[in-house]
């Protein structure tokens, strides 16, 4: 018992020391929930490096990947209460909390992560939504467009009928409209589910072909450009206010740049993942017809309608937001 109390006291003393250091403006903690090798954590480490370099060491960043400090679902509250100074949140984990920025998760068929991430950043900058008033937003970015990876070929949408696919969020409803069987489960459980035949594929971005070695099991890849998932990097408001003006300037200047860097990194990683999968496992890649993409858009309309209703409750002009989103998307996808 005494040993346990001693460990607890030491831990509390360490936390106190870290807090004192943070208040001195020299160190901040940055929590993230996925594994260290995944893109949200890769961008975190790049941001840390740039911040420390550009502030000349005035601000140092201690990173905590893999839910070692805060998990996905308590990240927002953890940052608001100061358990971490900075945290990366997945907006999809907080239904109803971020109605305006949830527009980025609509089925508008983004074709690149860079375009989606810059669209998200521009949308945030224009509207400065009230939903983020309790935190400081440092940057925003998205996952790559969601695609189908399967054990059996999906050359047309008709091939999806009756197929069990691991998926999450809004994509489950689109799959249901196609006659597929969407199965919600954590990504960590998916390899075993594929091996046991519980699912015959998954819907996610192509980076997982290499990062999770799904190319070994799923030799057939279909480009569907289903929704991206938006992320925001947020900072405790009081902690932000405690920083010096020159440090704040560095962090503000990094916002858009970090969004673009993350999008470019993930797009390059997707290409690398596909090339690696072709070389190692000879995977096949299929493209849908324009008519099939139009069908996917039609199936996604109820999701758009639901989002508009949610925005109406929050006093948000959904039509204006969607118009801007589509204009930003067209702008960045034409570059």
């Amino acid at each position: 018992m005494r040993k346990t109390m001693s460990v607890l006291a030491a831990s509390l003393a360490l936390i106190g020391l870290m807090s004192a250091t943070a208040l001195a403006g020299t160190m901040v903690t940055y929590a993230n929930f996925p594994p260290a090798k995944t893109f949200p954590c890769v961008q975190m480490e790049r941001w840390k490096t740039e911040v420390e370099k550009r502030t000349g060491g005035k601000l140092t960043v201690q990173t905590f990947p893999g839910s070692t400090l805060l998990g996905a679902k308590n990240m927002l509250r953890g940052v608001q209460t100061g358990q971490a100074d900075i945290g990366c949140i997945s907006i999809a984990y907080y239904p109803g909390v971020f109605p305006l920025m949830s527009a980025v998760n609509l089925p508008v068929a983004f074709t690149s992560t860079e375009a989606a991430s810059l669209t998200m950043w521009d949308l945030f900058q224009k509207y400065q939504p009230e939903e983020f008033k309790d935190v400081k937003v440092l940057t925003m970015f998205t996952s790559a467009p969601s695609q189908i990876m399967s054990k059996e070929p999906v050359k047309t949408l008709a091939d999806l009928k009756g197929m069990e696919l691991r998926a999450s969020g809004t994509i489950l409803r689109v799959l249901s409209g196609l006659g597929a069987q969407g199965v919600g489960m954590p990504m960590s459980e998916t390899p075993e589910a594929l091996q046991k035949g519980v699912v015959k594929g998954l819907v996610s971005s192509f980076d997982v072909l290499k990062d999770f070695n799904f190319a070994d099991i799923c030799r057939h890849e279909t480009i569907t450009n289903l929704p991206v998932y938006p992320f925001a990097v947020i900072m405790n408001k009081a902690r932000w206010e405690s920083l010096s003006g020159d440090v704040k300037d560095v962090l503000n200047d990094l916002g858009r740049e970090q969004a673009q860097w993350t999008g470019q990194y993930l797009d390059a990683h997707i290409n690398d993942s596909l090339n690696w999968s072709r070389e190692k496992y000879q995977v096949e890649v299929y493209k849908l017809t324009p008519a099939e993409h139009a069908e996917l858009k039609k199936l996604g309309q109820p999701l758009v309608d639901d989002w508009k209703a949610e925005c109406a409750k929050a006093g948000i002009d959904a039509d204006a937001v969607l118009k801007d989103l589509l204009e930003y998307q067209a702008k960045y996808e034409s570059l």
Side-chain angles (χ1 to χ4, degrees):
M1 179 69 176
R2 287 182 179 176
K3 185 177 179 181
T4 303
M5 292 299 291
S6 297
V7 172
L8 178 59
S11 298
L12 289 171
L14 177 60
I15 292 169
L17 179 62
M18 288 172 63
S19 298
T21 305
L23 287 170
T26 58
M27 188 272 289
V28 291
T29 54
Y30 186 156
N32 220 326
F33 61 90
K37 68 180 180 179
T38 59
F39 79 92
C41 290
V42 172
Q43 73 78 33
M44 173 175 70
E45 295 302 331
R46 186 265 177 181
W47 188 85
K48 163 191 164 74
T49 299
E50 291 299 315
V51 165
E52 293 178 348
K53 179 174 69 177
R54 297 183 194 193
T55 62
K58 283 185 179 180
L59 188 68
T60 57
V61 185
Q62 186 175 10
T63 57
F64 295 86
S67 299
T68 50
L69 183 56
L70 291 169
K73 294 186 178 178
N74 66 346
M75 188 68 68
L76 175 61
R77 184 67 179 157
V79 171
Q80 288 174 328
T81 58
Q83 289 176 265
D85 296 315
I86 301 168
C88 178
I89 60 169
S90 171
I91 286 176
Y93 280 111
Y94 300 94
V97 177
F98 302 105
L100 194 149
M101 295 312 299
S102 292
V104 183
N105 185 227
L106 294 175
V108 297
F110 280 109
T111 58
S112 85
T113 323
E114 181 181 6
S117 295
L118 287 173
T119 293
M120 185 179 185
W121 183 250
D122 282 4
L123 206 62
F124 175 77
Q125 289 299 309
K126 176 168 183 176
Y127 286 94
Q128 297 289 314
E130 187 78 0
E131 59 207 46
F132 281 97
K133 66 180 173 58
D134 294 329
V135 294
K136 165 65 179 177
V137 173
L138 296 175
T139 191
M140 292 180 159
F141 52 86
T142 74
S143 67
S146 300
Q147 321 291 5
I148 295 172
M149 293 153 269
S150 52
K151 296 162 78 172
E152 301 168 3
V154 178
K155 296 181 180 180
T156 69
L157 292 180
D159 294 333
L160 286 169
K161 191 160 188 180
M163 184 178 285
E164 299 88 355
L165 295 170
R166 181 268 174 196
S168 62
T170 55
I171 292 171
L172 289 167
R173 288 179 63 180
V174 176
L175 290 176
S176 177
L178 292 166
Q181 301 294 317
V183 180
M185 69 174 67
M187 190 65 81
S188 58
E189 296 176 12
T190 306
E192 184 178 355
L194 282 164
Q195 289 167 352
K196 291 184 175 180
V198 175
V199 293
K200 294 177 181 174
L202 69 151
V203 183
S204 185
S205 47
F206 281 149
D207 49 304
V208 300
L209 286 171
K210 184 176 182 181
D211 291 351
F212 289 87
N213 201 35
F214 283 134
D216 184 23
I217 305 173
C218 299
R219 304 291 177 95
H220 303 278
E221 331 306 343
T222 307
I223 297 174
T224 52
N225 291 328
L226 287 168
V228 299
Y229 288 92
F231 293 78
V233 178
I234 58 173
M235 188 171 192
N236 177 275
K237 203 71 173 284
R239 192 68 189 89
W240 166 257
E241 294 300 338
S242 74
L243 300 177
S244 63
D246 56 340
V247 169
K248 286 180 179 178
D249 287 344
V250 169
L251 302 192
N252 281 330
D253 289 346
L254 257 174
R256 185 183 189 279
E257 177 190 322
Q258 185 71 13
Q260 184 168 29
W261 184 92
T262 305
Q264 290 175 342
Y265 164 80
L266 192 48
D267 286 338
H269 186 47
I270 293 289
N271 288 333
D272 174 63
S273 181
L274 276 172
N275 290 334
W276 176 85
S277 300
R278 286 187 179 106
E279 290 173 13
K280 185 160 186 173
Y281 296 110
Q282 293 76 53
V283 301
E284 298 277 351
V285 180
Y286 310 107
K287 294 182 179 180
L288 299 178
T289 66
E292 287 175 308
H293 279 291
E295 176 65 15
L296 286 177
K297 185 176 181 180
K298 181 180 175 184
L299 288 169
Q301 188 56 44
L303 297 172
V304 177
D305 295 338
D306 288 351
W307 170 76
K308 286 184 176 181
E310 189 178 320
C311 284
K313 291 178 188 174
I316 295 167
D317 186 345
D319 289 328
V321 173
L322 185 56
K323 179 176 180 290
D324 285 330
L325 182 146
L326 294 174
E327 287 179 358
Y328 293 145
Q329 177 188 17
K331 169 186 170 183
Y332 288 120
E333 293 196 340
S334 67
L335 297 178

